[in-house]
Amino acid sequence: MSAKASKAAGTLRFEESARQIAANARYIAGGVNSNFRLGMAPGPLVFERGEGAYLVDVDGNRIIDYYCGMGATVLGHSPAGVIEAVRRQAERGILFAGQTPIEHEAAKLICEHVPSAERLRFGSSGSEVAQAAFRLARAATGRRTIVKFEGHYHGWFDNILWSTAPGLNAAGPADAPTPVPGSRGQDPKAGDGLSILGWNDLAALEQRLARGDVAAVMMEPAMCNQGAIAPAPGYLEGALAACRKHGALLIFDEVITGFRLARGGAQELFGVTPDLTILAKAIANGYPVAALAGRADLLDLFAEGVLHGGTFNAQPVAMAALVATQQALTPEHYGCSSARGQRLQDGIRTILAEAGIKAQVAGFPLMFHIAFGLDQPARNYRDVAAADKAACVRFALAMLKRGVRVLERGAWFVSSEHNEAVVDATLEAVHGAVREIG
């Protein structure tokens, strides 16, 4: 049966991916190079190429992709401008262990568009620049403690991989969460410098800050690692005011929200400017670039004894990708892409409601989330954790068999390449998937 016919019947098959993953495991642990690529049904997929909103796998399936590189490919999988910029820079050179004009251009673009970015430093991953943010905050304040929130993810390192997706049986009471490590082998003492709170609870945050020992509060300004949850009215403003009052810094993790919720990220959308911001993913449409940006007086500490290094920081080819990506993120891009993303989100909500399937479809035009089994929109991690995860997995598999790839945790990322025809095809697949799981 052809891939097209299989898609029509909702029976895409993935035997060659399974065979290649098994072969990979001879040399690559688990057959993949990130644990976040494990666990999905029917198994990890192997892709040959990307074309706009589509991925083509080794079984010949052409699949509409809403993973978007885990949120990174805001311009789709093959943007001509980015590809050409990368080609031109690669011909000039790949890595110099020195500075280049292109990194200045890249930094200027970020500082012009992200409200908190007076200065920045580039890195290679969100996990990495989160560590730089913690070091900077501790140097600036002379304090040790970092406040983080249940369900928020700031990287896979031992000192921050706590309570990112804890089981509620282990998480303790909502008003005094128990820190839960995220991995076997994690140093149990690495979390000693953390204080875990529930998000969107301003009173709890103010009470914790009043103890006077917090260097920084780190949060996703819109909770998108788990769900796609907006801050409660006044929450971000209150958090900033409380940090100011008690001498702590406010750090926004905009690895996911940056360049998706708005050109200037969630801080532009919600009108709250933090002290520091970490950026990655969509900053360069899939090239390995991250940044720590913020107040000039804080970032300048990196030239005054606070160590920040990295062989691949501001790698010229990646900087060229960043510049081309940022130049493409025009008001027209956000207007068109957001309209289609909102139509998709509204269409899914309508289809689920008409089928009598209880679910909350919530979030933002270019990043939203489906939580099955919830009566009300989620406000925090514990609300999201109560959703029917098994239903989400069944739905994702039913969609994949119909040629649409969505994350099993319920997240959907939309790119500029998800045009009207792609949205129509997606909604048709939703109709079929709902009939299958209903």
Side-chain angles (χ1 to χ4, degrees), residues 74-75 260 328-345 364-367 414-423:
V74 71
L75 301 176
R260 280 201 169 272
L329 296 179
T330 62
E332 291 75 20
H333 157 80
Y334 285 103
C336 292
S337 298
S338 295
R340 293 193 291 261
Q342 192 63 55
R343 183 168 82 86
L344 173 64
Q345 185 181 156
F364 310 92
L366 300 185
M367 191 274 157
V414 179
S415 80
S416 59
E417 299 304 295
H418 289 85
N419 59 29
E420 298 292 350
V422 170
V423 171

Coordinates of all heavy atoms in Angstrom, one line a residue, residues 74-75 260 328-345 364-367 414-423:
V74 N 10.5 27.5 13.9 CA 9.4 28.4 13.8 C 9.2 28.8 12.3 O 8.1 29.3 12.0 CB 9.6 29.7 14.7 CG1 10.8 30.5 14.1 CG2 8.4 30.5 14.9
L75 N 10.2 28.6 11.4 CA 10.0 28.9 10.0 C 9.9 27.6 9.2 O 10.0 27.7 8.0 CB 11.3 29.7 9.5 CG 11.5 31.0 10.2 CD1 12.8 31.6 9.7 CD2 10.4 32.0 10.0
R260 N 8.1 32.8 19.9 CA 6.8 32.1 19.6 C 5.6 32.9 20.1 O 4.7 33.1 19.3 CB 6.8 30.7 20.2 CG 7.5 29.7 19.4 CD 7.1 28.2 19.6 NE 7.7 27.4 18.6 CZ 7.2 27.2 17.4 NH1 6.0 27.7 17.1 NH2 7.8 26.4 16.5
A328 N 13.6 37.1 9.3 CA 12.4 36.5 8.8 C 11.2 36.7 9.7 O 10.0 36.5 9.3 CB 12.5 35.1 8.4
L329 N 11.5 37.0 11.0 CA 10.4 37.1 12.0 C 9.8 38.5 12.0 O 10.0 39.3 12.9 CB 11.0 36.7 13.4 CG 11.4 35.3 13.5 CD1 12.0 35.0 14.9 CD2 10.3 34.3 13.2
T330 N 9.1 38.8 10.9 CA 8.5 40.1 10.7 C 7.1 40.1 11.3 O 6.5 39.1 11.6 CB 8.4 40.3 9.2 OG1 7.5 39.3 8.6 CG2 9.7 40.3 8.5
P331 N 6.5 41.3 11.4 CA 5.1 41.4 11.8 C 4.2 40.6 10.9 O 3.2 40.0 11.4 CB 4.8 42.9 11.7 CG 6.1 43.5 12.0 CD 7.1 42.6 11.3
E332 N 4.5 40.5 9.6 CA 3.7 39.7 8.7 C 3.8 38.2 9.0 O 2.7 37.5 8.9 CB 4.1 40.0 7.3 CG 3.8 41.4 6.7 CD 4.8 42.4 7.3 OE1 5.9 42.1 7.8 OE2 4.4 43.6 7.2
H333 N 4.9 37.8 9.4 CA 5.1 36.4 9.8 C 4.2 36.1 11.0 O 3.4 35.1 10.9 CB 6.5 36.1 10.2 CG 6.7 34.9 11.1 ND1 6.7 33.6 10.7 CD2 6.8 34.9 12.5 CE1 6.8 32.8 11.7 NE2 6.9 33.5 12.8
Y334 N 4.2 36.9 12.0 CA 3.4 36.6 13.2 C 1.9 36.7 12.9 O 1.1 36.0 13.4 CB 3.8 37.5 14.3 CG 5.2 37.1 14.9 CD1 6.3 37.8 14.7 CD2 5.2 36.0 15.8 CE1 7.5 37.4 15.2 CE2 6.4 35.6 16.3 CZ 7.6 36.3 16.0 OH 8.8 35.9 16.5
G335 N 1.5 37.7 12.0 CA 0.1 37.9 11.7 C -0.4 36.7 11.0 O -1.5 36.1 11.4
C336 N 0.3 36.2 9.9 CA -0.2 35.1 9.2 C -0.2 33.8 9.9 O -1.1 33.0 10.0 CB 0.6 35.0 7.9 SG 0.3 36.3 6.7
S337 N 1.0 33.5 10.5 CA 1.2 32.2 11.2 C 0.2 32.1 12.4 O -0.3 31.1 12.7 CB 2.6 32.1 11.7 OG 3.5 32.1 10.6
S338 N 0.1 33.2 13.1 CA -0.8 33.2 14.3 C -2.3 33.0 13.9 O -3.0 32.3 14.6 CB -0.7 34.5 15.1 OG 0.7 34.6 15.6
A339 N -2.7 33.6 12.8 CA -4.1 33.4 12.4 C -4.3 31.9 12.1 O -5.4 31.4 12.4 CB -4.4 34.3 11.2
R340 N -3.4 31.3 11.4 CA -3.6 29.9 11.1 C -3.5 29.0 12.3 O -4.2 28.0 12.5 CB -2.6 29.5 10.0 CG -2.8 30.1 8.7 CD -2.0 29.5 7.6 NE -0.6 29.7 7.7 CZ 0.1 30.6 7.0 NH1 -0.5 31.5 6.2 NH2 1.4 30.8 7.2
G341 N -2.5 29.3 13.2 CA -2.4 28.6 14.4 C -3.7 28.7 15.3 O -4.1 27.7 15.9
Q342 N -4.3 29.8 15.3 CA -5.5 30.0 16.1 C -6.7 29.3 15.5 O -7.5 28.6 16.2 CB -5.9 31.5 16.2 CG -6.9 31.8 17.3 CD -6.5 31.4 18.7 OE1 -5.5 31.8 19.2 NE2 -7.3 30.5 19.3
R343 N -6.7 29.3 14.1 CA -7.8 28.5 13.4 C -7.6 27.0 13.7 O -8.6 26.3 13.9 CB -7.8 28.8 11.9 CG -8.9 28.1 11.2 CD -9.0 28.5 9.7 NE -8.1 27.9 8.8 CZ -8.3 26.7 8.2 NH1 -9.4 26.0 8.4 NH2 -7.4 26.2 7.4
L344 N -6.4 26.5 13.7 CA -6.2 25.1 14.0 C -6.6 24.8 15.4 O -7.3 23.8 15.7 CB -4.7 24.8 13.8 CG -4.2 23.4 14.3 CD1 -4.9 22.3 13.4 CD2 -2.7 23.3 14.2
Q345 N -6.2 25.6 16.4 CA -6.6 25.4 17.8 C -8.1 25.4 18.0 O -8.7 24.5 18.6 CB -5.9 26.5 18.6 CG -6.1 26.3 20.1 CD -5.4 27.4 20.9 OE1 -5.8 27.7 22.1 NE2 -4.4 28.0 20.4
F364 N -1.5 29.4 23.1 CA -1.2 30.6 22.3 C -1.2 30.1 20.8 O -1.1 29.0 20.5 CB 0.2 31.1 22.7 CG 0.3 31.3 24.2 CD1 0.8 30.2 25.0 CD2 -0.2 32.4 24.8 CE1 0.9 30.4 26.4 CE2 -0.1 32.6 26.2 CZ 0.4 31.5 27.0
P365 N -1.3 31.1 19.9 CA -1.4 30.7 18.5 C -0.3 29.8 17.9 O -0.6 28.9 17.1 CB -1.5 32.1 17.7 CG -2.1 33.0 18.7 CD -1.5 32.5 20.1
L366 N 0.9 30.0 18.3 CA 2.0 29.2 17.8 C 2.5 28.2 18.7 O 3.5 27.5 18.4 CB 3.2 30.2 17.4 CG 2.9 31.2 16.3 CD1 4.1 32.0 15.9 CD2 2.2 30.6 15.1
M367 N 1.8 28.0 19.8 CA 2.1 26.9 20.7 C 0.9 26.7 21.6 O 0.6 27.6 22.4 CB 3.4 27.3 21.6 CG 3.9 26.1 22.4 SD 3.2 25.8 24.0 CE 3.5 24.1 24.3
V414 N 3.5 25.4 16.0 CA 3.0 25.8 14.7 C 4.1 26.6 14.0 O 4.7 27.5 14.7 CB 1.7 26.5 14.7 CG1 1.3 27.0 13.3 CG2 0.6 25.7 15.4
S415 N 4.4 26.4 12.8 CA 5.4 27.2 12.0 C 4.8 28.0 10.9 O 3.6 27.8 10.6 CB 6.5 26.3 11.4 OG 6.0 25.7 10.2
S416 N 5.5 28.9 10.3 CA 5.0 29.7 9.2 C 4.6 28.8 8.0 O 3.9 29.2 7.1 CB 6.1 30.7 8.7 OG 7.3 30.0 8.3
E417 N 5.1 27.5 8.0 CA 4.8 26.6 6.8 C 3.5 25.8 7.0 O 3.1 25.1 6.1 CB 6.0 25.7 6.6 CG 7.3 26.4 6.3 CD 7.2 27.3 5.1 OE1 6.9 26.7 4.0 OE2 7.3 28.5 5.2
H418 N 2.9 26.0 8.2 CA 1.6 25.3 8.4 C 0.5 26.2 7.8 O -0.1 27.0 8.4 CB 1.4 25.1 9.9 CG 2.2 24.0 10.4 ND1 3.5 24.2 10.9 CD2 2.0 22.7 10.6 CE1 4.0 23.1 11.3 NE2 3.2 22.1 11.2
N419 N 0.4 26.1 6.4 CA -0.5 27.0 5.7 C -1.9 26.5 5.8 O -2.2 25.5 6.5 CB 0.0 27.1 4.2 CG 0.0 25.7 3.5 OD1 -0.7 24.8 3.8 ND2 0.9 25.6 2.5
E420 N -2.8 27.1 5.1 CA -4.3 26.8 5.2 C -4.5 25.3 4.7 O -5.3 24.6 5.4 CB -5.1 27.7 4.3 CG -5.0 29.2 4.7 CD -5.7 29.5 6.1 OE1 -6.4 28.6 6.6 OE2 -5.5 30.6 6.6
A421 N -3.8 24.9 3.7 CA -4.0 23.5 3.2 C -3.5 22.5 4.3 O -4.2 21.4 4.5 CB -3.3 23.2 1.9
V422 N -2.4 22.8 4.9 CA -1.9 21.9 6.0 C -2.9 21.9 7.2 O -3.2 20.8 7.8 CB -0.5 22.4 6.4 CG1 -0.1 21.7 7.7 CG2 0.5 22.2 5.3
V423 N -3.4 23.1 7.6 CA -4.4 23.1 8.7 C -5.6 22.3 8.3 O -6.1 21.5 9.1 CB -4.7 24.6 9.0 CG1 -5.9 24.6 10.0 CG2 -3.5 25.3 9.6

